[in-house]
Amino acid sequence: MLALELALYEIHDTGYDPIQKITDFWKKYDLISIQNTINLLLKNHTDTNYMNEIYVVSHKQVFSADLFRLLVAYFMTHTNPVAIDNIDISDAETTQVGRQEVSITKRIHEFFGRIAE
């Protein structure tokens, strides 16, 4: 909980830049890793060994704090006069993977849309 609270309090830090927080998040995570981690967070684990793996617990905590930090940054850009049109994440390592994932999901959606007709 402390990491989530710190993510909220850091908006008061001198030099806080919500645009930088948004950019940092999208450079760190792609759509596939976001989806996998959210699935991991929502999964009901019954294997106590798996639940206690340090990597899994640590990854969940870091991702949760990063996701909350992103949401706070987006909130700050919408409640304050901050232009988000100039956010450039085109050089993020994960952008190409994200574009491929969106392209694949679009093709799947169109395929099933044609079948439903």
Side-chain angles (χ1 to χ4, degrees):
M1 292 304 287
L2 180 59
L4 295 178
E5 288 184 24
L6 289 175
L8 183 60
Y9 293 142
E10 72 184 17
I11 64 173
H12 302 292
D13 289 347
T14 303
Y16 173 79
D17 182 7
I19 301 296
Q20 187 61 48
K21 297 294 180 189
I22 293 168
T23 304
D24 291 346
F25 180 87
W26 289 112
K27 284 183 179 180
K28 188 173 182 179
Y29 299 102
D30 59 55
L31 291 176
I32 296 168
S33 66
I34 293 168
Q35 179 182 16
N36 291 339
T37 305
I38 289 174
N39 286 338
L40 183 65
L41 288 168
L42 298 175
K43 193 179 253 185
N44 182 11
H45 299 290
T46 56
D47 182 0
T48 56
N49 291 330
Y50 182 72
M51 284 177 50
N52 295 325
E53 285 185 26
I54 292 174
Y55 171 76
V56 172
V57 172
S58 174
H59 179 67
K60 285 176 160 183
Q61 291 173 344
V62 168
F63 178 79
S64 296
D66 287 344
L67 183 60
F68 186 65
R69 189 171 281 113
L70 174 73
L71 295 173
V72 169
Y74 275 123
F75 175 79
M76 294 303 294
T77 62
H78 289 289
T79 58
N80 295 299
V82 178
I84 64 171
D85 297 341
N86 297 328
I87 294 177
D88 180 20
I89 58 170
S90 61
D91 63 338
E93 293 177 20
T94 60
T95 301
Q96 190 59 36
V97 174
R99 287 184 183 142
Q100 290 171 350
E101 177 71 7
V102 170
S103 173
I104 291 168
T105 59
K106 181 180 180 191
R107 289 196 316 257
I108 292 170
H109 181 270
E110 289 170 348
F111 173 75
F112 284 109
R114 288 191 304 267
I115 290 175
E117 293 173 356

